[in-house]
Amino acid sequence: MSNPTIAIVGSGPIGSTYARVLLEQVPNARVVMFEAGPQLTDVPGESVRNILDPAEKARAREMSQGPQAGAFRESLGIPAATVTEGMFTARQGTHLLDFGGAGSAHASSFPAAAAATNVGGQGAHWTCATPSPAFSEKIPFIADDEWDALIEDAKRLLHVHSAAFADSKVGEAIRTLLDEEFGAELPDGYGVGTLPVAGDPQPDGSVRWAGADVVLGPLTDKDSPLSQQFELRDLTLVRRVELDGNRVSGVTVQDLRTGETSFVAADIVVVAADAFRSPQLLWASGIRPAALGHYLTEHPVVISTVALDAEKMQRYASEEDLKAELARRALNPADPVAAVNRIPFSEPEHPFSVQVMYTETTPFPMEPGTPYSENRWGYVNMGYGMRKHPRYEDAVTFDDNEADYRGFPNMTIDYALTEREETEIAQATERLRRAGKALGVFVAEPRLMPNGSSLHYQGTMRLGAADDGTSVADPWSRVWGYENLVVGGNALIPTATAMNPTLMSVAIAVRGARKAAGELGSKGA
Ligand code: FAD
């Protein structure tokens, strides 16, 4: 096939992985990436956390909020306060699916579900935590050796650093206290440690956080020949994937600046438009496998805030260490580099993923004079992420008779926690109490966040080993029955997981992209 065209829907980390791997492997291909939202930064897809100016950062976040941004939100009559802020992950930059105005999704059982609409997708706003899946989190039909290599590729694409912040003495003190409490119960290699993050440490101790920009890499570097083969069209909404029998022929797109609609022919279409809008686009295009939208999972999250106990911390860290930590955080006060620790998922001992983030202030205002409203040694925000076991009935479904605010079949999300999850939530809450006691005093008691809060939505286009109605895509991410239609994103994860999913989804995308590149290559031959 001479000069094949690849159309990619969505410019987040996953669409960007497809663009990068496909162009590196098929350098004569042309990749056109369509993104419904605006470009926020000069370098496409950069993390807004790298923007130092608070006003500029706030503007970039508002521009990502689709239906809830500024003038559009006002035209719908929705108060700004509808967009809730999370306690751990700054949710600025995202917009609720069930925002309550005309054309809003129906998601009362999953109320915190949110998306980002901008170049870079949620990857312009993410916290950059990139742990690897382990034990039953992994995909059973991909061999371990191949999987390990894919994860290493994904780490390289996302600029993952395992030892980030390992030099923080405050972080080390927190780790030591947690290890004293839990270490004996955890298996070798899965104890208390630092959290791998996606970003490049800078000489001054700050971090340049990674987004889709680092994944795109040479594709947006004018000096690279690959950039000649790559086109990113922002504010361009893909309305339909067009079919020709059991193949896709291209996409119908709408330029949101002019309103004009056009058809773009493509040899391969990759849909990586998040776990709700990707299945919605497939449904709208008449591609409706039985499992589409079903088996929705996320991570139930229990959170709390603890004031660190000075006496305990001083056993392992000095005043000088505290000063050094605060100085480093002051380099970017709006998005400080925190000492981030974790306890990873392990089975059967610890089916939870725990994040412990240091902060000098509480994430909520405290009345001056109340106990621990001032705490010289600071605080930690702690979150336990848990598994949701996949069930057909947890689903996003689409209604052909009701249009959403963009004119797509509207979404309804049905979701419920079962006894299985309730049991693990109770166990996690108990451990969170122990962790809190080990470190200091609770200033916010453990509480379960509303469904949808994790921002890690999985399962709605799951991978499967066989086309038996319980999956949407084959082991190489191609939609069953459509050999040149590829899907990507957290929606493909078929397992129950506790860890942050982006690294895993990039690994799956690398595998899918290589297969697609191989197909293009062999057709060319
Ligand atoms: P997205 O990044 O969501 O990108 C999809 C893009 O598709 C969007 O830009 C959207 O506008 C576009 N799109 C949708 N429909 C269309 C259409 N019809 N036409 C054209 N474009 C379309 N994950 C982690 O692993 N670790 C973390 O620490 C972490 N923290 C997070 C913190 C926050 C505040 C947020 C918001 C997310 C966080 N995540 C984290 C989740 C992570 O950002 C996502 O897993 C990741 O961005 C998914 O990548 P994606 O490319 O599949 O989708």
Side-chain angles (χ1 to χ4, degrees), residues 168-170 316-326 377:
S168 158
K169 294 287 178 208
V170 170
Y316 303 106
S318 67
E319 290 288 335
E320 288 309 307
D321 296 331
L322 178 60
K323 271 192 207 145
E325 183 71 26
L326 295 177
W377 276 85

Side-chain angles (χ1 to χ4, degrees), residues 9-16 34-37 89-92 94 116-131 236-239 272-274 277-278 281 355 406 408 454-456 488-490 500-503:
V9 190
S11 66
I14 305 308
S16 301
F34 301 99
E35 169 52 55
T89 46
R91 302 179 136 255
Q92 293 139 332
T94 66
T117 305
N118 53 274
V119 170
Q122 291 195 24
H125 307 284
W126 69 322
T127 317
C128 298
T130 39
T236 304
L237 179 66
V238 176
R239 289 228 155 260
D274 84 34
R277 290 178 291 182
S278 295
L281 177 62
Q355 264 173 238
R406 306 187 306 173
F408 283 84
S454 71
L455 297 161
H456 305 156
N490 303 332
N500 319 56
T502 308
L503 183 75

